[in-house]
Amino acid sequence: MACIEPKLLGADGQFAPEPKYDPGSAASNLGCLLYIFCDTGFVEDVRNFVRTHAAEFAEVSASCPDGSHPLRWTELHDAFRALFEARLNCALAAECVGRDELLGYAEELRQET
C-alpha cells in the first residue's frame, strides 16, 4: 500500500499533524479520515488535554518504581480516547458510514497488503 507516514510535529516541536496519502492507492478511500483528526480545533483540544494533565503523569512516574500505575492514568486514557472516538463517530455519521462498515473496509485493505 502506498501510504505515507503523517508528519506529527511542526518545526517548533508542537503537535501539528499533516496527514499525507497517495491519492492513487486503495488507502485514499480511508486517507481522508486522517484529516478529521488534524482539524485546527481538534488539535487544540488535544493540546489542551495534554497541557491540563501532563503533570499528573510526571509526578507519579517517579513514585512508582515497580512499574505499576495509578487508576487515574486509566481514567485519563479513557477520556483521551473519548476525544478521538467522538470525533470519529461524528465523521462517520456525517458520511453515513457505520463503524462496522469502516472496519470491514479496513480489513479488506489489510488483506490486500
Side-chain angles (χ1 to χ4, degrees):
M1 185 180 303
C3 267
I4 301 169
E5 189 67 28
K7 181 180 174 191
L8 298 178
L9 300 179
D12 59 359
Q14 291 289 316
F15 180 64
E18 295 178 19
K20 295 180 175 26
Y21 61 94
D22 181 356
S25 72
S28 65
N29 295 323
L30 291 177
C32 62
L33 288 177
L34 293 173
Y35 286 94
I36 67 168
F37 298 111
C38 298
D39 172 74
T40 304
F42 182 73
V43 169
E44 195 56 36
D45 289 345
V46 170
R47 286 180 180 162
N48 287 334
F49 185 94
V50 171
R51 281 185 207 110
T52 301
H53 301 291
E56 294 182 59
F57 290 95
E59 293 168 5
V60 179
S61 292
S63 65
C64 295
D66 65 350
S68 65
H69 63 275
L71 179 59
R72 178 68 178 143
W73 285 7
T74 301
E75 294 168 352
L76 289 171
H77 177 262
D78 289 344
F80 189 74
R81 189 181 72 223
L83 286 173
F84 286 85
E85 292 282 336
R87 187 72 171 182
L88 176 62
N89 289 338
C90 285
L92 293 177
E95 296 297 322
C96 299
V97 174
R99 186 175 280 257
D100 289 340
E101 185 178 354
L102 173 65
L103 293 174
Y105 187 64
E107 178 62 21
E108 287 178 28
L109 288 174
R110 189 185 68 78
Q111 291 175 2
E112 289 177 13
T113 60

